[in-house]
């Protein structure tokens, strides 16, 4: 992604990515970092870098001796100022891979603005550098053109989102960062109060309650690009502090919210990448789980799962799983019979076991309906019921509890597709997943918990099921947006009727007293004339991750945390002086 900025700012006449052949003959002043140095004996080349690009500075016998004296002592990552004349390169010296590759600057003056100590790595190095070292020296790492490009993408995506939502009449409103702890699944980050001993603020997991109150307050359409905080286990696409594009609308149903969010995604992808997105699929939660095993399916490739009606099998492994109330599913990997080794199959089996499966059954299909592997022992008439099987294919079957089968095969599907090169590059496949269960059973707590959050409205036709013991059948008016296997947004129509909210709290095992203690100010607001409303929160970091073409969310955040929730550059978290703790009326116990 190139960037061209017009206009002179400060002493610089141009940035390091701006000069072209049409600038030949102009006197310019550039400032930046020394990216590379090459001394060819009598001619020296210095590659100057800033966030806009690279420009070659060439010193030969025509350069002043004072400029040569400075050039001989500069080192990589020193900050220098170059004044000189733009010249066209000789045809043989043109670099077609550089936007500025047709020109060079012949310096009349060269000055050092800042020297650099020897660095643990340089932005132009080709040697591998561990992520730990890069994060520890993030101020150097951020000089890399790849990360500069990611920050530019993030900026453009944020500006595009603001323009789109402003055009639709949304107000950007800030909500509090210090608020009340209302645990909703993930752990809160807590902040002790100095003024009120023994009492605590929490950092918001999302502005959920406040944006609903804004709807009660008559703001009609709200948005915010907002920091949120969750103290949960981390991974490549998750951070303890993350950014949402938060949206809420009054007098809106599911279709209206989805239309705004879909339009926002289309606008951002068009503005940032120049990409026109294909139509968004719409899948029910049940369909997504049936076909893909997960509720955030990657639609860029096939390998769909097939449910197996193998209730009549005598094959012991499958029979035992089905008798215990489990299910069986198959995944067909086209053309993989010949080049999938036993070692690979064992590795895939171990991968599936991470999700609770006891193992995998496999079979390689030969001509004449001959099968090798464990599935060759399954009755032929049952094997014939596996859809889409051809000679040369590999078939994988999982049997066991539904949750383990879906999670195991669903995640293995993505793993196999990546390993076999089935995932196309530069392709974006969006889909809506709707009609989620409203509740899920928490075995440890022995009660129902909200699958999304307790303010999500049940589908209108399912409200009557609340309090009847049929909570497992209740579907919510919730919707997730997924792209390329990532959940990139999630929202719902909210409960605006106090009686429905009371029934949902009761289904969650929460009596009126507890509900009042935890959510009293929201309940008061909902009882004060609340319009029907709904909203959605888009995971902005994940959007930028997809736009930038990386699978590591830390690559698109200026100062990210590690997977152990540490800032290696700042050294956070860190011990605090006992005097500070005493002021806050707290003390360490470890």
């Amino acid at each position: 992604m190139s960037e061209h900025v017009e206009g002179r700012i400060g002493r610089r006449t141009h940035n390091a990515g701006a000069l072209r052949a049409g600038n030949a003959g102009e006197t310019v002043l550039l400032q930046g970092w020394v990216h590379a140095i090459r001394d060819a004996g009598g001619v020296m080349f210095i590659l100057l870098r800033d966030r806009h690009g690279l420009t070659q500075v060439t010193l030969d016998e025509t350069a002043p001796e004072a400029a040569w004296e400075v050039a001989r002592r500069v080192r990589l990552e020193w900050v220098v100022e170059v004044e000189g004349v733009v010249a066209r390169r000789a045809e043989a010296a043109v670099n077609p891979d550089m936007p500025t590759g047709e020109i060079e600057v012949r310096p009349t003056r060269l000055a050092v603005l800042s020297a650099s100590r020897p660095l643990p790595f340089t932005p132009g190095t080709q040697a591998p550098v561990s992520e730990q070292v890069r994060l520890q020296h993030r101020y150097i790492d951020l000089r890399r053109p790849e990360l500069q490009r990611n920050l530019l993408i993030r900026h453009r995506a944020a500006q595009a989102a603001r323009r789109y939502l402003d055009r639709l009449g949304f107000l950007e409103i800030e909500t509090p960062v210090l608020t009340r702890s209302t645990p909703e699944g993930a752990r809160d980050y807590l902040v002790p109060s100095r003024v009120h001993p023994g009492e605590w603020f929490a950092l918001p997991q999302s502005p959920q309650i406040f944006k609903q109150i804004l709807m009660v307050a008559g703001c009609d359409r709200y948005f915010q690009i907002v920091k949120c905080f969750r103290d949960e286990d981390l991974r490549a696409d998750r951070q303890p502090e993350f950014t949402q594009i938060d949206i809420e609308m009054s007098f809106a149903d599911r279709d209206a919210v989805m239309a705004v969010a879909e339009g926002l995604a289309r606008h951002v992808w068009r503005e940032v990448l120049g990409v026109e997105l294909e139509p968004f699929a719409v899948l029910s939660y049940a369909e997504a789980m049936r076909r893909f095993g997960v509720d955030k399916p990657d639609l860029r490739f096939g390998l769909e799962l097939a449910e197996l009606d193998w209730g009549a099998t005598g094959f012991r492994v499958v029979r035992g799983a089905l008798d215990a109330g489990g299910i069986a599913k198959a995944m067909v990997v086209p053309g993989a019979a010949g080049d999938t080794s036993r070692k690979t199959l064992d590795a895939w089996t171990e991968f599936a076991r991470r999700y609770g499966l006891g193992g995998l059954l496999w079979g390689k299909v030969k001509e004449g309906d001959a099968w090798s592997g464990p599935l060759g022992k399954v009755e032929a008439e049952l094997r014939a019921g596996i859809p889409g099987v051809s000679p040369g294919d590999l078939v994988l079957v999982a049997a066991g509890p539904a949750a383990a089968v879906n999670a195991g095969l669903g995640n293995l599907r993505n793993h196999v597709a990546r390993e076999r090169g089935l995932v196309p590059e530069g392709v974006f496949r969006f889909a809506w997943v709707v009609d989620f269960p409203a509740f899920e059973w928490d075995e440890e707590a022995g009660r129902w918990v909200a699958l999304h959050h307790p303010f999500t409205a049940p589908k209108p036709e399912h409200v009557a099921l609340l309090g009847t013991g049929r909570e497992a059948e209740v579907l919510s008016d919730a919707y997730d947006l997924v792209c390329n296997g990532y959940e990139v947004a999630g929202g719902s129509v909210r409960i605006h009727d106090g009686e429905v909210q009371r029934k949902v709290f009761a289904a969650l095992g929460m009596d009126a007293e507890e509900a009042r203690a935890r959510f009293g100010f929201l309940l008061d607001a909902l009882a004060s004339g609340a319009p029907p409303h709904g909203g959605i929160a888009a995971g902005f970091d994940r959007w930028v991750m997809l736009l930038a073409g990386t699978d590591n969310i830390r690559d698109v955040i200026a100062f990210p945390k590690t997977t152990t929730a540490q800032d290696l550059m700042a050294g956070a978290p860190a011990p605090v002086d006992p005097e500070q703790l005493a002021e806050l009326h707290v003390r360490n116990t470890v």
Side-chain angles (χ1 to χ4, degrees):
M1 170 177 284
S2 62
E3 181 189 16
H4 180 66
V5 178
E6 299 286 350
R8 179 171 180 160
I9 300 178
R11 288 173 52 79
R12 284 186 294 173
T13 60
H14 298 79
N15 62 59
L19 297 174
R20 300 292 187 270
N23 297 107
E26 295 181 16
T27 297
V28 298
L29 189 147
L30 308 179
Q31 295 170 328
W33 285 261
V34 175
H35 187 73
I37 307 170
R38 183 164 63 92
D39 191 338
V43 180
M44 181 179 286
F45 303 96
I46 297 175
L47 208 54
L48 189 72
R49 184 195 73 244
D50 63 16
R51 76 174 175 90
H52 307 283
L54 298 164
T55 295
Q56 179 174 290
V57 179
T58 303
L59 293 91
D60 59 15
E61 70 279 359
T62 65
E65 181 57 30
W68 269 104
E69 288 179 5
V70 175
R72 290 187 187 103
R73 64 186 181 91
V74 299
R75 297 292 182 265
L76 296 181
E77 297 307 302
W78 286 29
V79 183
V80 300
E81 177 176 279
V82 179
E83 191 168 8
V85 178
V86 181
R88 294 185 70 114
R89 295 195 199 185
E91 187 172 344
V94 169
N95 184 346
D97 296 326
M98 283 177 61
T100 61
E102 289 186 288
I103 61 92
E104 59 191 7
V105 173
R106 302 292 182 89
T108 56
R109 185 176 64 84
L110 186 62
V112 174
L113 301 179
S114 176
S116 170
R117 62 182 173 83
L119 301 177
F121 65 95
T122 59
T125 185
Q126 298 301 312
V129 181
S130 72
E131 186 179 44
Q132 180 173 353
V133 171
R134 291 195 294 106
L135 291 177
Q136 187 176 355
H137 304 276
R138 190 62 164 179
Y139 42 84
I140 303 170
D141 194 35
L142 284 173
R143 296 177 190 173
R144 288 194 295 134
E146 300 92 332
L147 294 193
Q148 291 281 321
R149 170 184 174 271
N150 291 352
L151 293 181
L152 174 61
I153 287 173
R154 188 181 182 100
H155 163 76
R156 289 184 171 171
Q159 298 309 308
R162 284 189 165 98
R163 287 192 297 269
Y164 173 83
L165 293 168
D166 178 66
R167 194 168 66 236
L168 292 184
F170 283 83
L171 301 180
E172 185 169 9
I173 304 173
E174 294 177 339
T175 53
V177 173
L178 294 175
T179 184
R180 181 187 180 91
S181 178
T182 55
E184 297 164 16
R187 288 180 291 273
D188 285 326
Y189 279 102
L190 299 175
V191 180
S193 170
R194 177 184 61 83
V195 179
H196 302 282
E199 298 185 354
W200 299 74
F201 294 107
L203 304 183
Q205 295 188 30
S206 84
Q208 181 62 50
I209 292 176
F210 289 101
K211 63 187 179 183
Q212 289 193 247
I213 287 176
L214 286 171
M215 296 304 100
V216 178
C219 292
D220 190 65
R221 292 188 170 194
Y222 142 94
F223 89 96
Q224 185 180 190
I225 300 181
V226 60
K227 280 284 188 183
C228 302
F229 306 86
R230 291 178 187 170
D231 186 7
E232 56 189 350
D233 295 333
L234 306 183
R235 58 193 185 206
D237 67 335
R238 180 184 285 171
Q239 283 277 290
E241 53 177 310
F242 56 96
T243 304
Q244 288 182 178
I245 306 177
D246 210 44
I247 295 171
E248 198 78 8
M249 304 164 55
S250 293
F251 309 108
D253 58 12
R254 183 187 81 176
D255 291 344
V257 178
M258 287 168 57
V260 167
E262 185 168 331
L264 174 62
R266 291 184 180 281
H267 179 76
V268 168
W269 257 254
R270 185 184 304 119
E271 289 289 302
V272 176
L273 296 184
V275 168
E276 293 294 337
L277 297 176
E278 294 187 3
F280 290 19
V282 180
L283 308 171
S284 70
Y285 171 85
E287 181 185 3
M289 298 300 292
R290 175 174 55 81
R291 293 171 56 189
F292 305 103
V294 295
D295 59 4
K296 48 183 180 182
D298 192 334
L299 303 184
R300 291 174 294 174
F301 54 90
L303 304 184
E304 291 194 21
L305 311 184
E307 294 181 350
L308 302 178
D309 184 11
W310 280 10
T313 186
F315 189 48
R316 182 177 56 84
V317 176
V318 178
R319 175 79 272 147
L322 298 180
D323 286 348
I327 63 171
K329 280 189 170 182
M331 179 172 71
V332 179
V333 188
D339 61 358
T340 304
S341 67
R342 182 58 186 267
K343 181 180 179 181
T344 297
L345 288 167
D346 289 344
W348 290 355
T349 300
E350 286 306 309
F351 179 92
R353 283 191 172 123
R354 300 179 197 172
Y355 298 91
L357 277 178
L360 280 178
L361 301 172
W362 58 271
K364 295 183 177 183
V365 186
K366 303 177 181 179
E367 295 292 341
D369 196 33
W371 288 56
S372 64
L375 288 181
K377 301 175 184 179
V378 174
E379 296 85 347
E381 62 272 20
L382 295 181
R383 294 199 309 260
I386 302 175
V389 177
S390 300
D393 292 348
L394 172 70
V395 181
L396 304 172
V397 169
V405 169
N406 283 325
L409 274 188
N411 286 282
L412 181 63
R413 171 181 176 266
N414 296 333
H415 182 70
V416 169
R418 286 191 294 269
E419 279 200 354
R420 296 190 61 81
L422 303 179
V423 184
E425 295 293 328
V427 173
F428 303 97
R429 292 286 184 270
F430 282 82
W432 287 104
V433 179
V434 300
D435 295 345
F436 284 83
F439 309 106
E440 59 183 347
W441 184 255
D442 186 324
E443 291 287 351
E444 187 174 334
R447 63 179 180 85
W448 293 104
V449 296
L451 188 66
H452 281 81
H453 55 66
F455 317 113
T456 297
K459 293 180 73 68
E461 61 270 28
H462 288 189
V463 170
L465 298 176
L466 294 171
T468 67
R470 298 169 62 186
E471 280 75 15
E473 302 173 40
V474 179
L475 298 182
S476 68
D477 217 348
Y479 32 83
D480 280 358
L481 183 61
V482 301
C483 178
N484 294 3
Y486 294 100
E487 179 191 335
V488 295
S492 67
V493 173
R494 321 302 188 189
I495 299 170
H496 73 283
D497 183 308
E499 180 59 22
V500 174
Q501 186 67 78
R502 186 193 64 76
K503 289 182 177 180
V504 169
F505 282 153
L508 298 173
M510 194 184 310
D511 60 25
E513 184 177 349
E514 182 182 359
R516 166 60 52 183
R518 293 176 63 180
F519 307 113
F521 65 108
L522 175 62
L523 296 176
D524 288 343
L526 293 177
S528 303
H533 57 285
I536 193 165
F540 185 59
D541 306 300
R542 289 183 185 170
W543 283 37
V544 180
M545 187 176 74
L546 289 165
L547 290 163
T550 178
D551 59 2
N552 188 339
I553 206 166
R554 293 184 291 278
D555 286 344
V556 299
I557 298 172
F559 301 103
K561 305 294 190 295
T562 66
T563 52
T564 55
Q566 291 176 295
D567 181 341
L568 298 181
M569 184 191 73
V576 173
D577 291 336
E579 292 80 5
Q580 286 181 273
L581 295 178
E583 278 191 319
L584 296 170
H585 317 286
V586 298
R587 62 183 175 86
N588 282 324
T589 60
V590 293

